[in-house]
Amino acid sequence: MKKRDNNRLRIAIQKEGRLSEWSMDLLRNMGLQFDTYKRSLISCCTNYEMDILFLRDDDIPEYVQDGVVDLGIVGDNMVQECNAVVNRLRPLGFGFCELKIAAPESGAIRGVKDLDGLRIATTYPQMLSRFLEKAGVKAAIVPIMGSVEVTPSLDVADAVCDLVSTGSTLQTHNLVPIATVMSSEAYLVGNPACCDDGPVTVKIAQLLARLDGVLHARAAKYVMLNAPKVMTAQIQEIIAGRKSPTIVPLADPNMIAVHAVVEEGMFWEKMEQLKALGASDILVMNIEKMIA
Ligand code: PRT
Ligand code: ZN
């Protein structure tokens, strides 16, 4: 690997897999330009002092912990499985999944206590072991590399512990979830020393400011609407979010136009309340960046 230039940040993202496109989109939304030709191991940002390493997700927590890279984008499930000493800097709002224990639909295992003395196949032996210990259950963990869901039908295990997002893989294999070990999403993680006091600490802070601009923008919508002037106070009350809304008079003296930023989570609820107050011509726009 190229010798490290202390002035350049290094970030690791997944080379090929569920988090790759999301991670690259995020970096590009942060204004970073880079080439992904054949996803070579390393790509240098052309407009920022940062290099991007494309790795297997399993390797990212340790690379960050050991300072081979300063930052990484990886599922919290991986961080916890590796027990890596890293700073969880920001949850990123993608890669959502849950690590669940599941058992054959037709069997007798319906709760964690039923697993006593049985075999559980998983690619997450560390987390499963911690979970069973806490639950006071003694089961044999069968560590495997992949396709966990087929192990009960092959009589390799009695139950499985695997990541679930839609649940369709479990369903296809006639497995039902009986317990949740953890909920996960992708995180930006950082090497503790680099985040707190290293040659790239200031750069990390700058990058976090950019990231926050993108994450805040993703969590909000820009709304423009027309409404009866007599409703101004009620509309302001509903829409008052992070900042006072912009209220503009219209050619019709009885009407106003309102422009505001509305939190995504509250969006539909607020739109219904505004419509009930006579709001019309509602335009909703995605926000590219939002700097406080
Ligand atoms: O090659 P590399 O080692 O980098 O990739 P990988 O194959 O180990 O990982 P990958 O790309 O499958 O997943 C990367 C990360 O995505 C995981 O570490 C999680 O943080 C996150 N993630 C989110 C998931 C899922 N959802 C997910 N559903 N990772 C895996 N799955 C698998 C699961 O293991 C099971 O096989 O998808 C199947 C279940 O999906 P549903 O939708 O049927 O429930
Ligand atoms: Zn992996």
Side-chain angles (χ1 to χ4, degrees):
M1 194 178 298
K2 210 169 82 171
K3 194 171 175 323
R4 143 142 244 178
D5 168 352
N6 271 341
N7 286 318
R8 287 181 77 83
L9 271 177
R10 274 191 165 180
I11 186 169
I13 67 172
Q14 194 186 19
K15 185 176 168 74
E16 205 120 41
R18 286 166 195 263
L19 304 181
S20 310
E21 293 303 323
W22 286 102
S23 306
M24 285 191 290
D25 272 4
L26 182 64
L27 296 179
R28 291 208 163 103
N29 277 327
M30 287 160 67
L32 305 171
Q33 291 171 354
F34 53 92
D35 192 12
T36 52
Y37 180 68
K38 286 192 178 164
R39 301 254 169 102
S40 50
L41 172 67
I42 193 161
S43 177
C44 305
C45 287
T46 51
N47 61 347
Y48 200 77
E49 288 192 321
M50 185 166 87
D51 299 328
I52 303 167
L53 270 76
F54 298 94
L55 303 175
R56 286 202 60 194
D57 69 342
D58 312 56
D59 296 331
I60 294 176
E62 277 177 19
Y63 271 50
V64 175
Q65 172 186 280
D66 298 345
V68 178
V69 292
D70 311 299
L71 299 165
I73 294 180
V74 65
D76 197 23
N77 51 301
M78 272 297 155
V79 175
Q80 296 210 22
E81 180 62 17
C82 302
N83 232 339
V85 182
V86 296
N87 287 5
R88 278 187 191 72
L89 297 171
R90 297 289 185 278
L92 297 175
F94 59 85
F96 290 103
C97 55
E98 289 182 308
L99 183 64
K100 284 182 183 279
I101 301 179
E105 210 169 36
S106 54
I109 307 168
R110 285 298 162 262
V112 180
K113 298 284 176 205
D114 300 332
L115 294 165
D116 235 331
L118 300 182
R119 302 160 300 167
I120 312 170
T122 188
T123 46
Y124 291 88
Q126 301 301 331
M127 257 192 288
L128 177 60
S129 152
R130 294 198 286 266
F131 178 83
L132 293 175
E133 200 180 316
K134 236 182 177 173
V137 171
K138 285 200 163 48
I141 296 175
V142 184
I144 60 166
M145 297 301 282
S147 301
V148 173
E149 60 281 352
V150 300
T151 54
S153 60
L154 299 175
D155 195 26
V156 171
D158 306 294
V160 302
C161 175
D162 196 11
L163 294 177
V164 177
S165 46
T166 63
S168 69
T169 305
L170 290 186
Q171 243 174 20
T172 309
H173 293 86
N174 302 316
L175 297 166
V176 285
I178 59 158
T180 301
V181 176
M182 80 166 295
S183 298
S184 180
E185 72 178 283
Y187 266 74
L188 177 73
V189 295
N191 174 275
C194 295
C195 290
D196 297 340
D197 180 28
V200 288
T201 304
V202 175
K203 287 208 170 74
I204 291 177
Q206 282 168 355
L207 202 74
L208 285 177
R210 285 194 185 205
L211 173 62
D212 288 339
V214 175
L215 295 179
H216 288 152
R218 284 185 179 179
K221 298 278 180 210
Y222 193 77
V223 176
M224 299 199 287
L225 56 86
N226 294 341
K229 194 174 176 188
V230 287
M231 294 297 177
T232 307
Q234 288 97 316
I235 287 177
Q236 255 182 299
E237 202 171 303
I238 293 172
I239 232 167
R242 43 185 80 235
K243 289 272 157 65
S244 162
T246 306
I247 298 185
V248 193
L250 290 179
D252 178 343
N254 298 316
M255 297 292 284
I256 50 161
V258 181
H259 297 193
V261 173
V262 176
E263 299 295 331
E264 173 88 68
M266 301 291 291
F267 179 75
W268 286 110
E269 197 184 311
K270 293 207 172 187
M271 286 310 109
E272 278 150 23
Q273 291 170 353
L274 290 168
K275 281 194 84 166
L277 293 177
S280 60
D281 307 313
I282 303 176
L283 296 181
V284 182
M285 277 155 287
N286 287 329
I287 302 169
E288 199 185 306
K289 312 257 184 327
M290 200 156 78
I291 318 295

